[in-house]
Amino acid sequence: GEDVEQSLFLSVREGDSSVINCTYTDSSSTYLYWYKQEPGAGLQLLTYIFSNMDMKQDQRLTVLLNKKDKHLSLRIADTQTGDSAIYFCAATNYGGSQGNLIFGKGTKLSVKP
Amino acid sequence: DAGVIQSPRHEVTEMGQEVTLRCKPISGHDYLFWYRQTMMRGLELLIYFNNNVPIDDSGMPEDRFSAKMPNASFSTLKIQPSEPRDSAVYFCAWGRGLYNEQFFGPGTRLTVL
């Protein structure tokens, strides 16, 4: 089955760019997501990308997808202290079981002033 | 949080007691998911429903866990009897099944002493 891997921690300085990486194993994954979880809160959908896209930009967020390497990244430009949170990568295969949204273990982003 | 009300937000109980977690998603969803989050195991899918019918409960850890969805706007997750290893944050999420995106509630933090 699908497996999604992420590094557990990332530390950056305020104003720098953050890049959070994710790899997945199922080449048939058609939708890939980034979720953000702030302390004491649920997961918040940040953005998603379809497998027929290479890049998606949404304000400070840029998602890059390398299907050949099964690699997904989330770049946050001009990182702010409010961006400190845990970021989850998730993958699914639309058309299959609607429940198989597979999450990585999350990357904890710490932003230092 | 994304149109999902979970109650209680915090629950502290003693081992052996019955625990009932509640979820009220917004109307118009197709899917309802229950997740458990711990530091050790990350985010685990317990069970999900499609149009109020349980589709996949393979993630339910034991027979002590049960979930129901009597109507489209209410679901419960019950643990009977509870054990200390059940301590976790339990999330309810809804999905429309269009792009498999899911929208999470704020979670219930369960502590079993």
Side-chain angles (χ1 to χ4, degrees):
Chain A
E2 174 77 277
D3 191 23
V4 177
E5 298 280 346
Q6 302 177 241
S7 53
L8 295 181
F9 301 99
L10 177 65
S11 180
V12 300
R13 291 205 175 275
E14 192 174 19
D16 289 349
S17 291
S18 307
V19 179
I20 303 171
N21 295 301
C22 167
T23 58
Y24 58 98
T25 57
D26 188 350
S27 57
S28 63
S29 289
T30 50
Y31 297 91
L32 298 123
Y33 307 82
W34 284 105
Y35 282 81
K36 176 184 180 182
Q37 185 180 29
E38 295 180 352
L43 278 70
Q44 173 194 358
L45 179 63
L46 279 181
T47 186
Y48 59 87
I49 189 168
F50 303 148
S51 61
N52 62 356
M53 300 168 66
D54 298 323
M55 185 183 82
K56 181 179 180 181
Q57 188 152 2
D58 184 1
Q59 299 183 343
R60 294 190 297 120
L61 304 179
T62 302
V63 179
L64 295 177
L65 175 60
N66 181 329
K67 284 178 301 216
K68 175 176 171 291
D69 295 337
K70 296 194 278 288
H71 181 267
L72 183 74
S73 68
L74 174 69
R75 178 177 180 270
I76 305 173
D78 186 25
T79 312
Q80 303 298 307
T81 54
D83 295 322
S84 294
I86 301 176
Y87 291 81
F88 291 88
C89 170
T92 190
N93 179 5
Y94 180 71
S97 167
Q98 294 287 309
N100 65 341
L101 188 61
I102 306 301
F103 286 87
K105 289 202 176 342
T107 299
K108 185 173 184 178
L109 174 64
S110 298
V111 183
K112 300 181 178 180
Chain B
D1 278 71
V4 183
I5 299 173
Q6 289 190 248
S7 63
R9 292 294 313 276
H10 301 273
E11 176 83 22
V12 180
T13 190
E14 292 187 346
M15 182 174 64
Q17 296 298 306
E18 177 180 297
V19 175
T20 299
L21 311 181
R22 297 173 177 79
C23 172
K24 295 183 69 177
I26 66 169
S27 60
H29 66 277
D30 297 317
Y31 296 88
L32 190 288
F33 304 85
W34 280 100
Y35 288 89
R36 178 171 70 175
Q37 185 179 38
T38 61
M39 291 289 290
M40 293 296 294
R41 295 186 298 269
L43 198 62
E44 302 173 280
L45 175 66
L46 299 177
I47 185 172
Y48 77 97
F49 297 82
N50 178 211
N51 294 327
N52 312 337
V53 176
I55 301 300
D56 184 355
D57 65 354
S58 59
M60 297 284 260
E62 301 170 33
D63 291 344
R64 298 183 296 106
F65 286 68
S66 62
K68 293 182 180 179
M69 192 159 188
N71 58 62
S73 58
F74 185 66
S75 178
T76 59
L77 178 68
K78 185 178 292 186
I79 308 172
Q80 165 63 19
S82 58
E83 296 183 3
R85 59 194 167 121
D86 302 329
S87 297
V89 180
Y90 291 81
F91 291 104
C92 170
W94 66 270
R96 286 180 292 216
L98 186 59
Y99 302 121
N100 284 18
E101 70 273 27
Q102 296 177 19
F103 301 91
F104 283 72
T108 295
R109 181 173 294 277
L110 173 65
T111 302
V112 183
L113 303 175

